[in-house]
Amino acid sequence: MKYVLLHPASLDLDPIAPALEAEAVDARQVTPADGLSVADVPTTLVLDSASRSAFPAAQLRTFVSAGGAIVAIGAPDEKDAPTALPDDLISAFVPQPFGTRHLLVALRTAYREAAARAESSRARQEAAYRAREIKELTRIGMALSTERDYDALLELILSQALELTASDAASLYLVETPEDQPRRLRFKLSQTTSRPDIPLVEYTMPLDTTSIAGCAATTGEPLVIDDVYFLPPDVDYTFNRSIDERYGYRSKSMLTIPMKDHKDTVIGVLQLINRKRHGDAKLTSPEDFDAEVIPYTHRLVELVSAMAGQAAVSIENSQLYEGIERLFEGFVRASVYAIEQRDPTTFGHSGRVASMTVALAEAVDRTREGPYRHVGYSREELREIRYAGLLHDFGKVGVREQVLVKAKKLPPSDLALIKQRFAFIRRTQESEFHRQRAQYLERNGRQGYEEFLRRLEADYRTQIEELDRFMRLVLESNEPTVLPEGSFESLRRYASRYFEDLDGKSQPYLTGDEVRFLSIRKGSLDQSEREEIESHVTHTYRFLMQIPWTPELRSVPDIAFGHHEKLDGSGYPRRVGAERIPIQTRMMTIADIFDALTASDRPYKHAVPVPRALDILRDETEAGMLDPALLRLFSEAKAFQKAAESEEAS
């Protein structure tokens, strides 16, 4: 059959039946109720005058639009085509009476027009199909290019390939290059629509032609296999049926595409299995595999190759992005290491502050009540907070080491000088004791000596005890405290006592600077030293501002800059109020104070128990210095435990 001829029952085609048969025309009787459908071959409707009104114009127009053609037979009194039939619907008009040859010529004209329309329709459909393919590839490319997470990207590549090709299963292999070893192919990921329960077990295989994926990677050419159970005898590769046999699956048609980067280097292999007639079909029985699985076409090879190229570039970009992240992570850790090497007593502080701040941010993200119920943080924002936490004290590299590591109130050299002074005074008193005793014996002999010696020894003991009290007071006062405490009147009293040095000059037991240091009421730093330590915040900000941060991390300097500011404006260095302190900074401030209180590695103070530390933080909250809502979340979420867990894990 080369053509189809549709006609109403009122038209008798018996006179021309032999001619139609000779032309391989299949004549079919139709009614308006049957509808007019266009066959796979050129189709023409012969419409006589008696049936014109039976077929609505809309039905005729749909038939022509689908690729059919219409030949109108005139009524006995019609000399021209009727106006009731629009010109654009009629391919030919045959007036009455007509001869067989006349009708056949009209039919051939109609068939040629029908064939042209069908070809045009197919071309339009093909163009529309190609446009959809291009649109789909563009969509896939955009989706792949915007995915930053490496593992999510690999999953996306497989899911998009399955959808694009209506495949039932897909696998992804990546090329690995171990140091000083041959390249290998790692089975990285798989998805099976009909059997999602099949587990993924990663493994590596030689990168050679003994496997289908290895062959595609080695040659750089696609492999199209209609049935992997029946491979050609002249190929090196084989198919491993163990997974099929273990889980009752049947791998059949397969498309294996090498994934090449911009240098045309194969970085992986995309393998598709069991293309289906219907994309949503489930393959659960042998009958399903027989009925649904079809081979991959040349056009699909082209499409998947294009997609594999996009995927390869996306994987390369993702690996490059991860490499940059690892590089920057290493830089951040090296910076933290540099800080901790200058001040080993605070080892781990930056990491703990970062962990606690991130844990608190996650608690804020989870909360559905309070002033922060609408605040949330993305993965990138949490990373920004973490980097700010790790680098918040980097400015300490700009602080003098003797101030940075000062563990006691007195500088070590000053304490050593006081101890030498104490030893000199003690030796002087001892010498004076022996001088007076010898002088008495020289002048008076043994007469009254015993009584004189008792008085002299009593005075000497009193002086030595007083001198020992002086030294104990110095050592006790030299110990820093966490909160303001102590009275230093005794220190001032000793500052008004004098002794004679080797030159006979009068010198105080304690100098003014020594009294000033020992009278520090909180911590181990005097005002000038404290200002120098506080300058580390500004140093940190200036250092961080030199880094060309990505848009996702651009707030790191600002977050770190304010970690010593207080909501009431009493912090430093800018003394700004709550309206200028970001939430991320408020969280870091809580974490920083908590770690400073509870850390057990500070030689200048004792560790404060967690309950006491939380009480101190609450006191500062009630004083308007800290954010009460954030402190409540910090306590309820036990963010400090997350820091301890992170430290143990590392």
Side-chain angles (χ1 to χ4, degrees):
M1 178 184 66
K2 294 168 55 179
Y3 310 102
V4 170
L5 186 151
L6 306 179
H7 66 94
S10 58
L11 181 62
D12 183 13
L13 294 181
D14 287 343
I16 62 171
L20 295 177
E21 185 177 351
E23 295 286 342
V25 175
D26 179 19
R28 302 175 185 175
Q29 184 175 307
V30 293
T31 65
D34 296 333
L36 301 175
S37 59
V38 178
D40 296 334
V41 296
T43 304
T44 295
L45 170 66
V46 179
L47 193 60
D48 62 352
S49 59
S51 303
R52 291 174 195 167
S53 59
F55 290 91
Q59 189 178 32
L60 297 177
R61 188 170 296 280
T62 300
F63 173 70
V64 171
S65 298
I70 299 175
V71 173
I73 303 296
D77 57 345
E78 281 182 326
K79 302 300 182 184
D80 201 355
T83 57
L85 289 175
D87 294 344
D88 60 330
L89 295 184
I90 303 174
S91 299
F93 176 73
V94 180
Q96 291 276 18
F98 59 84
T100 300
R101 182 184 168 112
H102 190 175
L103 180 58
L104 289 177
V105 169
L107 287 175
R108 288 193 186 98
T109 300
Y111 283 131
R112 281 194 294 270
E113 189 169 330
R117 286 176 180 167
E119 183 60 31
S120 176
S121 178
R122 280 193 294 271
R124 286 195 302 272
Q125 291 175 358
E126 179 69 16
Y129 182 70
R130 294 298 175 92
R132 285 196 300 271
E133 289 178 343
I134 293 173
K135 184 177 179 181
E136 186 68 8
L137 281 177
T138 302
R139 183 191 65 79
I140 292 172
M142 292 178 61
L144 296 181
S145 64
T146 56
E147 180 55 66
R148 292 285 184 84
D149 184 272
Y150 183 66
D151 293 331
L153 172 64
L154 300 184
E155 292 279 1
L156 183 63
I157 290 171
L158 289 192
S159 62
Q160 295 295 330
L162 288 172
E163 182 179 348
L164 181 66
T165 61
S167 296
D168 192 59
S171 301
L172 192 65
Y173 299 80
L174 297 178
V175 175
E176 293 184 349
T177 309
E179 188 174 354
D180 300 326
Q181 295 182 28
R183 295 195 307 164
R184 294 183 66 83
L185 203 58
R186 175 172 291 276
F187 177 73
K188 184 66 178 176
L189 195 63
S190 69
Q191 292 180 11
T192 305
T193 306
S194 296
R195 292 297 304 271
D197 57 316
I198 296 179
L200 170 67
V201 179
E202 285 194 28
Y203 62 88
T204 62
M205 63 177 70
L207 205 165
D208 55 30
T209 59
T210 60
S211 65
I212 297 175
C215 183
T218 302
T219 63
E221 297 295 330
L223 283 177
V224 184
I225 303 172
D226 291 348
D227 193 333
V228 292
Y229 281 19
F230 300 98
L231 297 174
D234 57 344
V235 297
D236 296 333
Y237 50 81
T238 59
F239 177 73
N240 186 349
R241 302 188 187 187
S242 59
I243 297 297
D244 283 8
E245 293 170 351
R246 188 178 310 159
Y247 295 99
Y249 196 70
R250 168 65 162 96
S251 298
K252 196 171 183 181
S253 63
M254 180 180 289
L255 173 59
T256 307
I257 302 288
M259 301 166 61
K260 300 179 182 180
D261 63 12
H262 70 286
K263 297 179 182 178
D264 207 36
T265 300
V266 176
I267 67 166
V269 173
L270 176 60
Q271 191 170 79
L272 299 165
I273 301 172
N274 289 345
R275 179 190 173 207
K276 297 180 289 190
R277 296 181 188 278
H278 306 92
D280 57 351
K282 298 293 184 182
L283 307 180
T284 58
S285 67
E287 292 75 20
D288 293 334
F289 288 97
D290 291 338
E292 280 291 335
V293 177
I294 55 178
Y296 290 91
T297 63
H298 176 72
R299 180 57 185 164
L300 279 180
V301 174
E302 294 177 345
L303 284 175
V304 178
S305 295
M307 179 191 164
Q310 293 176 327
V313 172
S314 296
I315 289 175
E316 186 181 34
N317 289 342
S318 181
Q319 290 173 337
L320 179 62
Y321 184 80
E322 282 200 343
I324 294 173
E325 282 192 327
R326 285 195 299 270
L327 179 65
F328 188 75
E329 181 77 17
F331 162 76
V332 170
R333 292 194 173 277
S335 300
V336 173
Y337 179 79
I339 301 167
E340 293 175 343
Q341 286 302 300
R342 290 207 70 215
D343 186 9
T345 59
T346 61
F347 182 84
H349 168 72
S350 296
R352 291 191 297 271
V353 169
S355 296
M356 283 189 283
T357 308
V358 169
L360 178 52
E362 291 172 340
V364 170
D365 187 72
R366 291 192 301 268
T367 189
R368 294 297 177 266
E369 58 185 25
Y372 299 118
R373 61 186 178 278
H374 300 306
V375 176
Y377 295 103
S378 65
R379 187 178 72 94
E380 288 76 16
E381 289 169 329
L382 290 176
R383 186 157 58 97
E384 180 181 63
I385 291 171
R386 177 172 170 270
Y387 282 153
L390 287 172
L391 294 170
H392 77 283
D393 274 346
F394 186 80
K396 288 182 178 179
V397 298
V399 178
R400 288 179 300 145
E401 190 167 357
Q402 59 266 37
V403 175
L404 185 64
V405 300
K406 188 182 178 188
K408 308 293 184 181
K409 296 180 181 180
L410 285 169
S413 58
D414 286 12
L415 181 61
L417 186 60
I418 292 175
K419 287 181 177 180
Q420 290 175 358
R421 192 182 304 147
F422 165 78
F424 176 80
I425 296 172
R426 188 183 182 104
R427 182 65 58 87
T428 300
Q429 290 177 346
E430 184 180 354
S431 297
E432 181 65 17
F433 168 77
H434 290 299
R435 188 191 66 78
Q436 290 184 29
R437 189 181 65 172
Q439 186 182 54
Y440 183 91
L441 289 172
E442 182 180 350
R443 291 178 179 177
N444 304 302
R446 303 289 302 181
Q447 183 179 0
Y449 176 71
E450 296 298 331
E451 180 61 27
F452 172 78
L453 183 61
R454 279 195 298 272
R455 291 197 306 272
L456 185 63
E457 286 179 340
D459 290 343
Y460 175 67
R461 281 194 300 272
T462 300
Q463 291 173 348
I464 294 300
E465 288 172 358
E466 178 68 14
L467 191 59
D468 287 341
R469 279 196 296 273
F470 160 70
M471 198 62 215
R472 283 196 301 272
L473 178 62
V474 168
L475 294 176
E476 289 171 359
S477 299
N478 195 37
E479 293 296 324
T481 53
V482 175
L483 296 175
E485 61 181 37
S487 173
F488 304 104
E489 293 302 323
S490 297
L491 289 172
R492 298 187 183 93
R493 188 174 73 250
Y494 281 111
S496 64
R497 297 186 62 171
Y498 292 83
F499 69 97
E500 286 188 359
D501 62 14
L502 291 175
D503 297 328
K505 295 181 179 180
S506 182
Q507 302 289 350
Y509 274 37
L510 291 173
T511 67
D513 284 344
E514 291 166 349
V515 172
R516 179 171 55 82
F517 278 125
L518 291 171
S519 300
I520 295 172
R521 291 187 173 274
K522 182 179 180 181
S524 62
L525 304 176
D526 72 353
Q527 185 59 31
S528 63
E529 291 171 330
R530 185 168 297 281
E531 289 175 357
E532 185 174 351
I533 284 288
E534 290 177 356
S535 71
H536 82 275
V537 181
T538 302
H539 292 319
T540 294
Y541 180 73
R542 289 173 178 168
F543 163 73
L544 294 178
M545 286 300 292
Q546 301 304 310
I547 299 175
W549 300 98
T550 61
E552 297 88 353
L553 302 174
R554 64 177 176 271
S555 296
V556 168
D558 291 324
I559 295 173
F561 194 18
H563 74 275
H564 279 297
E565 302 288 357
K566 299 296 176 64
L567 301 184
D568 62 353
S570 63
Y572 64 86
R574 295 171 295 165
R575 301 191 179 281
V576 298
E579 68 282 353
R580 294 184 59 188
I581 303 176
I583 298 174
Q584 301 95 313
T585 302
R586 300 183 188 191
M587 294 188 289
M588 187 185 299
T589 301
I590 293 173
D592 189 51
I593 296 174
F594 180 87
D595 190 71
L597 291 171
T598 58
S600 59
D601 52 7
R602 309 289 175 90
Y604 51 81
K605 72 169 188 65
H606 297 295
V608 173
V610 169
R612 176 60 180 146
L614 292 174
D615 288 340
I616 294 173
L617 288 171
R618 291 188 188 99
D619 291 342
E620 294 207 2
T621 297
E622 292 174 1
M625 300 180 184
L626 302 178
D627 191 311
L630 292 177
L631 180 60
R632 177 181 60 81
L633 288 172
F634 180 84
S635 177
E636 291 176 354
K638 292 183 169 50
F640 42 86
Q641 289 184 354
K642 303 289 178 62
E645 292 168 1
S646 298
E647 199 166 34
E648 290 175 3
S650 60

